[in-house]
Amino acid sequence: MTKTYALKGNIIYSKNQNEINCFENSYLICQDGKSMGVFEKLDEKYKDIEVIDFGEKIICPGLTDLHIHAPQYNFRGMGMDLELLDWLNTYTFPSEAKFKDEDYAKRSYQRFVDYLKYGPNTRHVIFASLHVKSTQILMDLMEESKMVSFVGKVNMDRNGGVDLEEKDADESEKATLDWLESIKGKYKNTYPILTPRFIPSCTDELLEKLRKIKDEYNLPIQSHLSENLGEIEWVKELIPKAKFYGDAYNIFDLFGKNNKTVMAHCVYSNDDEQDLIKENEVFIAHCPDSNTNLTSGIAPAGKYLREGQKIGLGSDVAGGTHASIFKAMADAIKVSKLRYRLVDEKIKPLSLEEAFYMATLGGGEFFGKVGSFEKGYEFDAIVIDDEKLLEEDKFNLKQRLERIVYLSKDEDVVSKFVRGNKIF
């Protein structure tokens, strides 16, 4: 484990979804990879520890991306004039099919991991492709980065086209078991997650097999839910016995309850689906950039958060164009204002406090005690140099955070710590 040390600077973290803690010129103490809390002065027992002084820079918890597609990194920013299903068939599936080539996967995934490494996110929940070897390559690279992630080999035995579809449920099951056995005990910071792409990609037979794999290996689950109106109608045709989209997963016991589950989007979740999400403690990955780019709609994130749903943010690259969850925070606030003005004035727009909570504590909870500097939380921290944003005026720490959310770039992150380990 890491030694005991302190970071000194201007420290910001969520107290709760409505309040932000701000400490000027204070000390954040790390001991054996865990936060020991924030102090205005160092206690006598810490008088001899190393202090890394970041001066006037901002120190905040690392951000969590609950939903990102690693093999889509290469074509981000393309096909933004299409809606979801056409975009998948035109860009996504042909691009992901290239990951059958392991050399291509190594080159592509190295660029992807380097991109994440030097941004503000410290935790990621990642879709790979359906290819076992390429998924192993991605997991190896994520482990080398010292960031923490869940990575999933995708399952899809229908509607992927000739180049991106497993032959049948048996083949998909075997590939998944081969993958899980090949990585067993291999990593400290990189974990497997069961990944049925979405209902249209998985036959009932495959979903039943995934239920058994989930139970045997005690795996968390990730997928997509109620993102697009055409997708929802398609699910009704494919699994007519399901009462709503989420119920299609629930029928096969792939929707929370005993296994931690994250579902991306939930743009059109009806009341019954929302109730089941909450009852089963399913995490919602709100992906505002992707939902805008692919004309999907605006999820009622404020409603979900205020009603006690477990909710964080996702970049959804390449439906989203940037991995930074700072950008996702800004996008979430902006689209919530449009939804409030144009759709439903009963749901107030998201505040900075709420968006910051989702980016840190809300998404971090998927990984456990993550996303805070309270004592006992895993020590994930980023240091941001916002000097060029300050101009001549004096801003308080909360105002500086808001400007970072809207104006900062990845290169403004000048240092990064994950589980107490310095990444750079």
Side-chain angles (χ1 to χ4, degrees), residues 69 71-72 75 91-100 128-131 154 156 163-164 197:
H69 293 260
Q72 297 179 17
F75 72 93
Y91 288 95
T92 303
F93 293 165
S95 180
E96 289 193 15
K98 296 177 183 178
F99 284 79
K100 182 178 180 180
S129 66
L130 58 77
H131 308 96
V154 171
M156 47 193 304
D163 295 322
L164 196 74
R197 183 180 209 108

Side-chain angles (χ1 to χ4, degrees), residues 84-94 159-161 234:
L84 174 67
L85 299 179
D86 288 337
W87 180 78
L88 290 174
N89 289 319
T90 305
Y91 288 95
T92 303
F93 293 165
N159 296 319
W234 196 8

Side-chain angles (χ1 to χ4, degrees), residues 152-191:
K153 174 223 161 298
V154 171
N155 294 99
M156 47 193 304
D157 68 338
R158 66 178 174 186
N159 296 319
V162 292
D163 295 322
L164 196 74
E165 189 176 288
E166 293 159 309
K167 183 176 70 174
D168 54 27
D170 288 337
E171 182 181 276
S172 185
E173 176 190 40
K174 182 181 184 305
T176 303
L177 292 171
D178 288 347
W179 164 60
L180 291 170
E181 287 301 315
S182 73
I183 61 169
K184 188 180 289 186
K186 189 176 180 182
Y187 308 114
K188 292 182 178 178
N189 297 314
T190 312
Y191 307 98

Side-chain angles (χ1 to χ4, degrees), residues 305-333:
L305 179 65
R306 294 161 201 155
E307 291 183 353
Q309 299 279 18
K310 295 181 180 296
I311 182 170
L313 295 170
S315 66
D316 197 21
V317 165
T321 51
H322 300 276
S324 171
I325 294 300
F326 278 137
K327 185 181 188 306
M329 287 173 60
D331 290 338
I333 293 169

